[in-house]
Amino acid sequence: MPLLINKDSGLAENLSQELADKALAEKTHEIPLFDPEGNFGSAPLEDVRTLLATGHRQLNPAELKEMYEKGIYRQTGERIKAGAE
């Protein structure tokens, strides 16, 4: 399932392919990327190919997992659950 960045919350979300396609089309989510200096960001789908050609790179599976886990634990309900554990 694709991991995308929610533009409103800034959190990583693991979406089904159908929801990811819809979110990208509606421009509510973006593709996570690192810029040439290693800074994290995101971009709309239509800009990704150009950005990759100019030195940006997509996250590898371990980086995607880390972004997703950080996103989950930033949400209030999940922080409470993590604290209880």
Side-chain angles (χ1 to χ4, degrees):
M1 290 199 280
L3 186 88
L4 300 176
I5 304 301
N6 182 310
K7 288 175 51 178
D8 288 335
S9 68
L11 298 175
E13 296 179 351
N14 198 4
L15 305 173
S16 69
Q17 187 64 54
E18 182 180 338
L19 288 176
D21 292 343
K22 182 178 178 183
L24 290 169
E26 293 176 355
K27 301 189 185 302
T28 60
H29 291 66
E30 293 184 334
I31 307 290
L33 297 170
F34 282 115
D35 70 15
E37 291 79 38
N39 301 305
F40 176 76
S42 63
L45 180 61
E46 61 269 12
D47 295 343
V48 170
R49 187 172 286 172
T50 301
L51 290 170
L52 292 174
T54 62
H56 288 70
R57 71 171 181 85
Q58 290 185 290
L59 285 67
N60 64 41
E63 292 165 333
L64 286 170
K65 182 179 182 214
E66 181 181 346
M67 284 301 304
Y68 181 64
E69 289 173 351
K70 284 182 180 178
I72 286 178
Y73 289 110
R74 283 183 49 199
Q75 297 174 18
T76 305
E78 294 298 324
R79 282 187 279 163
I80 291 169
K81 280 195 258 180
E85 291 173 356

Coordinates of all heavy atoms in Angstrom, one line a residue:
M1 N 0.8 -1.2 0.0 CA 0.0 0.0 0.0 C 0.9 1.2 0.0 O 1.9 1.3 0.7 CB -0.9 0.0 1.2 CG -2.0 -1.1 1.2 SD -3.3 -0.8 2.3 CE -2.7 -1.4 3.8
P2 N 0.5 2.2 -0.8 CA 1.3 3.5 -0.9 C 1.3 4.3 0.4 O 0.3 4.4 1.1 CB 0.7 4.2 -2.0 CG -0.1 3.2 -2.8 CD -0.5 2.2 -1.8
L3 N 2.5 4.8 0.8 CA 2.6 5.7 1.9 C 2.7 7.1 1.3 O 3.5 7.4 0.5 CB 3.9 5.4 2.7 CG 4.0 6.2 3.9 CD1 3.3 5.5 5.1 CD2 5.5 6.4 4.3
L4 N 1.7 8.0 1.7 CA 1.7 9.3 1.2 C 1.6 10.3 2.4 O 1.3 9.9 3.5 CB 0.4 9.5 0.4 CG 0.3 8.6 -0.8 CD1 -1.1 8.9 -1.5 CD2 1.4 8.9 -1.8
I5 N 1.9 11.5 2.1 CA 1.9 12.6 3.1 C 0.6 13.4 3.0 O 0.3 13.9 2.0 CB 3.1 13.5 3.0 CG1 4.4 12.7 3.0 CG2 3.1 14.6 4.0 CD1 4.7 11.9 4.3
N6 N -0.1 13.4 4.1 CA -1.4 14.2 4.1 C -1.0 15.7 4.2 O -0.3 16.1 5.1 CB -2.2 13.8 5.4 CG -3.5 14.5 5.5 OD1 -3.6 15.8 5.4 ND2 -4.6 13.8 5.7
K7 N -1.4 16.5 3.3 CA -1.0 17.9 3.2 C -1.5 18.7 4.4 O -0.9 19.7 4.8 CB -1.4 18.5 1.9 CG -0.6 18.0 0.7 CD -1.1 18.5 -0.6 CE -1.3 20.0 -0.7 NZ -1.7 20.5 -2.0
D8 N -2.7 18.3 4.9 CA -3.3 19.1 6.0 C -2.6 18.8 7.3 O -2.2 19.7 8.1 CB -4.8 18.8 6.2 CG -5.6 19.4 5.1 OD1 -5.2 20.4 4.5 OD2 -6.7 18.8 4.8
S9 N -2.3 17.5 7.6 CA -1.7 17.2 8.9 C -0.2 17.1 8.9 O 0.4 17.1 9.9 CB -2.3 15.8 9.4 OG -1.9 14.8 8.5
G10 N 0.3 16.8 7.7 CA 1.8 16.6 7.5 C 2.2 15.2 7.9 O 3.4 14.9 8.0
L11 N 1.2 14.3 8.2 CA 1.5 13.0 8.7 C 1.6 12.0 7.5 O 0.9 12.2 6.5 CB 0.4 12.5 9.7 CG 0.3 13.3 11.0 CD1 -0.9 12.8 11.8 CD2 1.6 13.3 11.8
A12 N 2.4 11.0 7.7 CA 2.4 9.9 6.7 C 1.2 9.0 6.9 O 0.9 8.7 8.1 CB 3.7 9.1 7.0
E13 N 0.6 8.6 5.8 CA -0.6 7.7 5.9 C -0.4 6.6 4.9 O 0.0 6.8 3.8 CB -1.8 8.5 5.6 CG -2.2 9.6 6.5 CD -3.4 10.3 6.2 OE1 -4.0 10.2 5.1 OE2 -3.8 11.1 7.0
N14 N -0.6 5.4 5.4 CA -0.5 4.2 4.5 C -1.9 3.9 4.0 O -2.8 3.5 4.7 CB 0.0 3.0 5.4 CG 0.5 1.9 4.6 OD1 0.6 2.0 3.4 ND2 0.9 0.8 5.2
L15 N -2.1 4.1 2.7 CA -3.4 4.0 2.1 C -3.5 2.9 1.1 O -2.5 2.5 0.5 CB -3.7 5.3 1.3 CG -3.6 6.6 2.1 CD1 -3.8 7.8 1.1 CD2 -4.7 6.7 3.2
S16 N -4.7 2.4 0.9 CA -4.9 1.4 -0.1 C -4.6 2.0 -1.5 O -4.6 3.3 -1.6 CB -6.4 0.8 -0.1 OG -7.2 1.9 -0.5
Q17 N -4.4 1.3 -2.5 CA -4.1 1.8 -3.8 C -5.2 2.7 -4.3 O -5.0 3.8 -4.8 CB -3.7 0.8 -4.8 CG -3.3 1.3 -6.1 CD -1.9 2.0 -6.0 OE1 -1.0 1.5 -5.5 NE2 -1.9 3.3 -6.5
E18 N -6.4 2.3 -4.1 CA -7.6 3.0 -4.5 C -7.7 4.4 -3.8 O -7.9 5.4 -4.5 CB -8.9 2.2 -4.3 CG -10.1 2.9 -4.7 CD -11.4 2.1 -4.5 OE1 -11.3 0.8 -4.3 OE2 -12.5 2.7 -4.4
L19 N -7.5 4.4 -2.5 CA -7.5 5.6 -1.8 C -6.4 6.5 -2.1 O -6.5 7.8 -2.2 CB -7.6 5.4 -0.3 CG -8.9 4.8 0.3 CD1 -8.8 4.5 1.8 CD2 -10.0 5.8 0.1
A20 N -5.2 5.9 -2.3 CA -4.0 6.7 -2.7 C -4.2 7.4 -4.1 O -3.9 8.6 -4.2 CB -2.8 5.8 -2.8
D21 N -4.8 6.7 -5.0 CA -5.0 7.3 -6.3 C -6.0 8.4 -6.2 O -5.8 9.5 -6.8 CB -5.6 6.2 -7.3 CG -4.6 5.1 -7.7 OD1 -3.4 5.4 -7.5 OD2 -5.0 4.1 -8.2
K22 N -7.0 8.3 -5.4 CA -8.0 9.3 -5.2 C -7.4 10.5 -4.5 O -7.6 11.7 -4.9 CB -9.2 8.8 -4.4 CG -10.3 9.8 -4.2 CD -11.5 9.2 -3.4 CE -12.5 10.2 -3.1 NZ -13.6 9.8 -2.4
A23 N -6.6 10.3 -3.4 CA -6.0 11.3 -2.7 C -5.0 12.1 -3.5 O -4.9 13.4 -3.4 CB -5.2 10.8 -1.5
L24 N -4.2 11.5 -4.4 CA -3.3 12.2 -5.3 C -4.1 13.0 -6.3 O -3.7 14.1 -6.6 CB -2.4 11.2 -6.0 CG -1.3 10.5 -5.0 CD1 -0.6 9.4 -5.7 CD2 -0.3 11.6 -4.5
A25 N -5.1 12.4 -6.8 CA -6.0 13.1 -7.8 C -6.6 14.4 -7.2 O -6.7 15.4 -7.9 CB -7.0 12.2 -8.4
E26 N -7.1 14.2 -6.0 CA -7.7 15.4 -5.3 C -6.7 16.3 -4.7 O -7.1 17.3 -4.1 CB -8.7 14.8 -4.3 CG -9.9 14.1 -4.9 CD -10.8 13.5 -3.8 OE1 -10.5 13.5 -2.6 OE2 -11.8 12.9 -4.3
K27 N -5.4 16.0 -4.8 CA -4.3 16.8 -4.2 C -4.4 17.0 -2.7 O -3.9 18.0 -2.2 CB -4.2 18.1 -5.0 CG -4.0 17.9 -6.5 CD -3.7 19.2 -7.2 CE -3.6 19.0 -8.7 NZ -2.7 18.1 -9.2
T28 N -4.9 16.0 -2.0 CA -4.9 16.1 -0.5 C -3.7 15.5 0.1 O -3.4 15.7 1.2 CB -6.2 15.4 0.0 OG1 -6.2 14.0 -0.4 CG2 -7.5 16.1 -0.4
H29 N -3.0 14.7 -0.7 CA -1.8 14.0 -0.3 C -0.7 14.2 -1.3 O -1.0 14.4 -2.5 CB -2.1 12.5 -0.1 CG -3.0 12.2 1.0 ND1 -4.3 12.6 1.1 CD2 -2.7 11.5 2.2 CE1 -4.8 12.2 2.2 NE2 -3.9 11.5 2.9
E30 N 0.6 14.0 -0.9 CA 1.7 14.1 -1.8 C 2.7 12.9 -1.6 O 2.6 12.2 -0.6 CB 2.5 15.4 -1.5 CG 1.7 16.6 -1.9 CD 2.4 17.9 -1.7 OE1 3.3 18.0 -0.9 OE2 2.1 18.9 -2.5
I31 N 3.6 12.8 -2.5 CA 4.6 11.7 -2.5 C 5.8 12.2 -1.6 O 6.3 13.3 -1.8 CB 5.2 11.5 -3.9 CG1 4.0 11.2 -4.9 CG2 6.2 10.4 -3.9 CD1 3.3 9.9 -4.7
P32 N 6.2 11.4 -0.6 CA 7.4 11.8 0.2 C 8.7 11.6 -0.6 O 8.9 10.7 -1.3 CB 7.3 10.7 1.4 CG 6.6 9.6 0.8 CD 5.6 10.1 -0.2
L33 N 9.5 12.6 -0.4 CA 10.8 12.7 -1.1 C 11.9 13.3 -0.2 O 11.6 14.1 0.7 CB 10.7 13.6 -2.4 CG 9.8 13.2 -3.5 CD1 9.6 14.3 -4.5 CD2 10.3 11.9 -4.2
F34 N 13.1 13.1 -0.5 CA 14.3 13.8 0.0 C 14.8 14.7 -1.1 O 15.0 14.2 -2.2 CB 15.4 12.8 0.5 CG 15.1 12.2 1.8 CD1 14.9 10.8 1.9 CD2 15.0 12.9 3.0 CE1 14.6 10.2 3.1 CE2 14.7 12.3 4.2 CZ 14.5 11.0 4.3
D35 N 15.2 15.9 -0.7 CA 15.8 16.8 -1.7 C 17.3 16.5 -1.8 O 17.8 15.6 -1.1 CB 15.5 18.3 -1.4 CG 16.3 18.8 -0.1 OD1 17.2 18.1 0.4 OD2 15.9 19.9 0.3
P36 N 18.0 17.1 -2.7 CA 19.4 16.7 -2.9 C 20.3 16.9 -1.7 O 21.3 16.3 -1.5 CB 19.9 17.7 -4.1 CG 18.6 17.9 -4.8 CD 17.5 18.0 -3.8
E37 N 19.9 17.8 -0.8 CA 20.6 18.0 0.5 C 20.2 17.1 1.6 O 20.7 17.1 2.7 CB 20.4 19.5 1.0 CG 21.1 20.5 0.1 CD 20.3 20.8 -1.2 OE1 19.0 20.9 -1.1 OE2 20.9 21.0 -2.3
G38 N 19.2 16.2 1.3 CA 18.8 15.2 2.3 C 17.7 15.7 3.2 O 17.3 15.0 4.2
N39 N 17.1 16.8 2.9 CA 15.9 17.3 3.6 C 14.6 16.6 3.2 O 14.4 16.4 2.0 CB 15.8 18.8 3.4 CG 17.0 19.5 3.9 OD1 17.4 19.4 5.0 ND2 17.6 20.3 3.0
F40 N 13.8 16.2 4.1 CA 12.5 15.6 3.8 C 11.5 16.6 3.4 O 11.4 17.7 3.8 CB 12.0 14.8 5.1 CG 10.7 14.2 4.8 CD1 10.6 13.1 4.1 CD2 9.5 14.8 5.3 CE1 9.3 12.5 3.8 CE2 8.3 14.2 5.0 CZ 8.2 13.1 4.3
G41 N 10.7 16.1 2.4 CA 9.6 16.9 1.9 C 8.6 16.1 1.1 O 8.7 14.8 1.2
S42 N 7.7 16.7 0.5 CA 6.8 15.9 -0.4 C 6.4 16.8 -1.6 O 6.6 18.0 -1.6 CB 5.5 15.6 0.5 OG 4.8 16.7 0.9
A43 N 5.9 16.1 -2.6 CA 5.5 16.8 -3.8 C 4.3 16.2 -4.4 O 4.1 15.0 -4.3 CB 6.7 16.8 -4.8
P44 N 3.6 16.9 -5.2 CA 2.4 16.4 -5.9 C 2.9 15.4 -7.0 O 4.1 15.5 -7.5 CB 1.7 17.5 -6.6 CG 2.6 18.7 -6.4 CD 3.7 18.4 -5.4
L45 N 2.1 14.4 -7.3 CA 2.5 13.4 -8.2 C 3.0 13.9 -9.6 O 4.0 13.4 -10.1 CB 1.3 12.4 -8.5 CG 1.5 11.3 -9.5 CD1 2.6 10.3 -8.9 CD2 0.2 10.5 -9.7
E46 N 2.4 15.0 -10.1 CA 2.8 15.5 -11.4 C 4.2 16.1 -11.4 O 4.8 16.3 -12.4 CB 1.8 16.5 -11.9 CG 1.5 17.7 -11.1 CD 0.4 17.5 -10.1 OE1 -0.1 16.4 -9.9 OE2 0.0 18.5 -9.5
D47 N 4.7 16.4 -10.2 CA 6.1 17.0 -10.1 C 7.2 16.0 -9.8 O 8.4 16.4 -9.9 CB 6.1 18.1 -9.0 CG 5.2 19.3 -9.4 OD1 4.8 19.4 -10.5 OD2 4.9 20.1 -8.4
V48 N 6.8 14.8 -9.4 CA 7.8 13.9 -8.9 C 8.8 13.5 -10.0 O 10.0 13.5 -9.7 CB 7.1 12.6 -8.3 CG1 8.1 11.5 -8.0 CG2 6.4 13.0 -7.1
R49 N 8.4 13.2 -11.2 CA 9.4 12.8 -12.2 C 10.5 13.9 -12.5 O 11.6 13.6 -12.5 CB 8.7 12.5 -13.5 CG 9.6 11.9 -14.6 CD 8.8 11.4 -15.8 NE 8.2 10.2 -15.4 CZ 7.3 9.6 -16.2 NH1 7.0 10.0 -17.3 NH2 6.7 8.4 -15.8
T50 N 10.0 15.1 -12.5 CA 11.0 16.3 -12.7 C 11.9 16.4 -11.5 O 13.1 16.6 -11.7 CB 10.2 17.6 -12.9 OG1 9.4 17.4 -14.1 CG2 11.2 18.7 -13.1
L51 N 11.4 16.3 -10.3 CA 12.2 16.4 -9.1 C 13.2 15.3 -9.0 O 14.4 15.5 -8.7 CB 11.3 16.4 -7.9 CG 10.5 17.7 -7.7 CD1 9.4 17.5 -6.6 CD2 11.4 18.9 -7.4
L52 N 12.8 14.0 -9.4 CA 13.8 12.9 -9.4 C 14.9 13.2 -10.4 O 16.1 12.8 -10.1 CB 13.0 11.6 -9.7 CG 12.1 11.1 -8.6 CD1 11.3 9.9 -9.2 CD2 12.7 10.8 -7.3
A53 N 14.6 13.8 -11.5 CA 15.6 14.1 -12.5 C 16.6 15.2 -12.0 O 17.7 15.3 -12.6 CB 15.0 14.5 -13.8
T54 N 16.2 16.0 -11.0 CA 17.0 17.1 -10.5 C 17.7 16.7 -9.2 O 18.1 17.7 -8.5 CB 16.2 18.4 -10.4 OG1 15.2 18.2 -9.5 CG2 15.6 18.8 -11.7
G55 N 17.7 15.5 -8.8 CA 18.5 15.1 -7.6 C 17.7 14.7 -6.4 O 18.2 14.3 -5.4
H56 N 16.4 14.9 -6.5 CA 15.5 14.4 -5.3 C 15.5 12.9 -5.4 O 15.8 12.3 -6.5 CB 14.1 14.9 -5.5 CG 14.0 16.4 -5.2 ND1 14.5 17.4 -6.0 CD2 13.5 17.0 -4.1 CE1 14.3 18.6 -5.5 NE2 13.6 18.4 -4.3
R57 N 15.1 12.2 -4.3 CA 15.0 10.8 -4.3 C 13.9 10.3 -3.5 O 13.5 11.0 -2.5 CB 16.3 10.1 -3.9 CG 16.6 10.2 -2.4 CD 17.8 9.3 -2.0 NE 18.0 9.4 -0.5 CZ 17.4 8.7 0.4 NH1 16.5 7.9 0.1 NH2 17.7 8.9 1.7
Q58 N 13.3 9.2 -3.8 CA 12.2 8.6 -3.1 C 12.8 7.9 -1.9 O 14.0 7.5 -1.8 CB 11.4 7.6 -3.9 CG 10.6 8.4 -5.0 CD 9.7 7.4 -5.8 OE1 10.2 6.6 -6.5 NE2 8.4 7.5 -5.5
L59 N 12.0 7.7 -0.8 CA 12.4 7.0 0.4 C 12.5 5.5 0.1 O 11.8 5.0 -0.7 CB 11.4 7.3 1.5 CG 11.5 8.7 2.1 CD1 11.0 9.8 1.2 CD2 10.6 8.7 3.4
N60 N 13.5 4.9 0.8 CA 13.6 3.5 0.7 C 12.6 2.8 1.6 O 12.0 3.5 2.5 CB 15.1 3.0 0.9 CG 15.6 3.3 2.3 OD1 14.8 3.1 3.3 ND2 16.8 3.7 2.4
P61 N 12.4 1.5 1.6 CA 11.4 0.9 2.5 C 11.6 1.1 3.9 O 10.7 1.4 4.7 CB 11.6 -0.6 2.1 CG 12.0 -0.6 0.7 CD 13.0 0.6 0.6
A62 N 12.9 1.1 4.4 CA 13.1 1.4 5.8 C 12.7 2.8 6.2 O 12.2 3.1 7.3 CB 14.6 1.1 6.2
E63 N 13.0 3.8 5.3 CA 12.7 5.2 5.6 C 11.2 5.4 5.6 O 10.6 6.1 6.4 CB 13.4 6.1 4.6 CG 14.9 6.1 4.7 CD 15.6 6.7 3.5 OE1 15.0 6.7 2.4 OE2 16.7 7.3 3.7
L64 N 10.5 4.7 4.6 CA 9.0 4.7 4.6 C 8.4 4.2 5.9 O 7.5 4.8 6.4 CB 8.5 4.0 3.4 CG 8.7 4.6 2.0 CD1 8.4 3.6 0.9 CD2 7.9 5.8 1.9
K65 N 9.0 3.1 6.3 CA 8.4 2.5 7.6 C 8.6 3.5 8.7 O 7.7 3.7 9.6 CB 9.2 1.2 7.9 CG 8.6 0.5 9.1 CD 9.4 -0.8 9.3 CE 8.7 -1.5 10.6 NZ 9.7 -2.2 11.4
E66 N 9.8 4.1 8.8 CA 10.1 5.0 9.9 C 9.1 6.2 9.8 O 8.6 6.7 10.8 CB 11.5 5.5 9.8 CG 11.9 6.5 10.9 CD 13.3 7.0 10.8 OE1 14.1 6.4 10.0 OE2 13.7 8.0 11.4
M67 N 8.9 6.8 8.6 CA 8.0 7.9 8.5 C 6.6 7.5 8.9 O 5.9 8.3 9.6 CB 7.9 8.4 7.0 CG 9.1 9.1 6.6 SD 9.4 10.6 7.5 CE 7.9 11.5 7.3
Y68 N 6.1 6.3 8.6 CA 4.8 5.9 8.9 C 4.7 5.7 10.4 O 3.7 6.2 11.0 CB 4.5 4.6 8.2 CG 3.1 4.0 8.5 CD1 2.0 4.8 8.1 CD2 2.9 2.8 9.2 CE1 0.7 4.3 8.4 CE2 1.7 2.4 9.5 CZ 0.6 3.1 9.1 OH -0.7 2.6 9.4
E69 N 5.7 5.1 11.0 CA 5.6 4.9 12.5 C 5.7 6.2 13.2 O 4.9 6.4 14.2 CB 6.8 4.0 12.9 CG 6.5 2.6 12.5 CD 7.7 1.7 12.8 OE1 8.8 2.1 13.1 OE2 7.5 0.4 12.6
K70 N 6.5 7.2 12.8 CA 6.5 8.5 13.4 C 5.1 9.2 13.2 O 4.6 9.9 14.1 CB 7.6 9.4 12.8 CG 9.0 9.1 13.2 CD 10.0 10.0 12.6 CE 11.4 9.7 13.1 NZ 12.4 10.6 12.4
G71 N 4.5 9.0 12.1 CA 3.2 9.6 11.8 C 2.2 9.1 12.7 O 1.3 9.8 13.3
I72 N 2.2 7.7 12.9 CA 1.2 7.1 13.8 C 1.3 7.6 15.2 O 0.4 8.0 15.9 CB 1.3 5.6 13.7 CG1 0.8 5.0 12.4 CG2 0.6 5.0 14.9 CD1 0.9 3.6 12.3
Y73 N 2.5 7.6 15.7 CA 2.7 8.0 17.1 C 2.6 9.5 17.4 O 2.6 9.9 18.5 CB 4.0 7.4 17.6 CG 3.9 5.9 17.8 CD1 4.6 5.0 16.9 CD2 3.0 5.3 18.7 CE1 4.4 3.7 17.0 CE2 2.8 4.0 18.8 CZ 3.5 3.1 17.9 OH 3.3 1.8 18.0
R74 N 2.5 10.3 16.3 CA 2.3 11.7 16.6 C 0.8 12.0 16.8 O 0.5 13.1 17.3 CB 2.8 12.5 15.3 CG 4.3 12.7 15.3 CD 4.8 13.6 14.2 NE 4.1 14.8 14.1 CZ 4.0 15.6 13.0 NH1 4.7 15.2 11.9 NH2 3.4 16.7 13.0
Q75 N 0.0 11.1 16.4 CA -1.4 11.3 16.6 C -1.8 11.1 18.1 O -1.3 10.2 18.8 CB -2.2 10.3 15.8 CG -2.0 10.6 14.3 CD -2.7 9.5 13.4 OE1 -3.5 8.8 13.9 NE2 -2.2 9.4 12.2
T76 N -2.6 11.9 18.7 CA -2.9 11.9 20.1 C -3.3 10.6 20.6 O -2.8 10.1 21.6 CB -3.9 13.0 20.5 OG1 -3.5 14.2 20.0 CG2 -4.2 13.0 21.9
G77 N -4.3 9.9 20.0 CA -4.8 8.7 20.5 C -3.7 7.6 20.5 O -3.6 6.8 21.4
E78 N -2.9 7.6 19.5 CA -1.8 6.6 19.5 C -0.7 6.9 20.5 O -0.1 6.0 21.1 CB -1.2 6.6 18.1 CG -2.1 6.0 17.0 CD -2.6 4.6 17.3 OE1 -1.8 3.8 17.8 OE2 -3.8 4.3 17.0
R79 N -0.5 8.2 20.8 CA 0.5 8.5 21.9 C 0.0 8.0 23.2 O 0.8 7.5 24.0 CB 0.8 10.0 21.9 CG 1.7 10.5 20.8 CD 2.1 11.9 21.0 NE 1.0 12.7 20.5 CZ 0.7 13.9 20.7 NH1 1.5 14.6 21.5 NH2 -0.3 14.5 20.1
I80 N -1.3 8.1 23.4 CA -1.9 7.6 24.7 C -1.7 6.1 24.8 O -1.3 5.6 25.8 CB -3.4 8.0 24.8 CG1 -3.5 9.5 25.0 CG2 -4.1 7.3 26.0 CD1 -4.8 10.1 24.8
K81 N -2.0 5.4 23.7 CA -1.9 3.9 23.6 C -0.4 3.6 23.9 O -0.1 2.6 24.6 CB -2.3 3.4 22.3 CG -3.8 3.2 22.2 CD -4.2 2.3 21.1 CE -4.6 3.2 19.9 NZ -5.0 2.4 18.7
A82 N 0.5 4.3 23.2 CA 1.9 3.9 23.4 C 2.4 4.2 24.8 O 3.2 3.4 25.4 CB 2.8 4.8 22.4
G83 N 1.9 5.2 25.4 CA 2.3 5.5 26.8 C 1.7 4.4 27.8 O 2.4 4.1 28.8
A84 N 0.5 3.9 27.5 CA -0.1 2.9 28.3 C 0.7 1.6 28.2 O 0.7 0.8 29.2 CB -1.5 2.7 27.9
E85 N 1.3 1.3 27.1 CA 2.0 0.1 26.8 C 3.3 0.2 27.6 O 3.9 -0.7 28.1 CB 2.3 -0.1 25.4 CG 1.0 -0.4 24.6 CD 1.2 -0.5 23.1 OE1 2.3 -0.2 22.6 OE2 0.3 -0.8 22.4

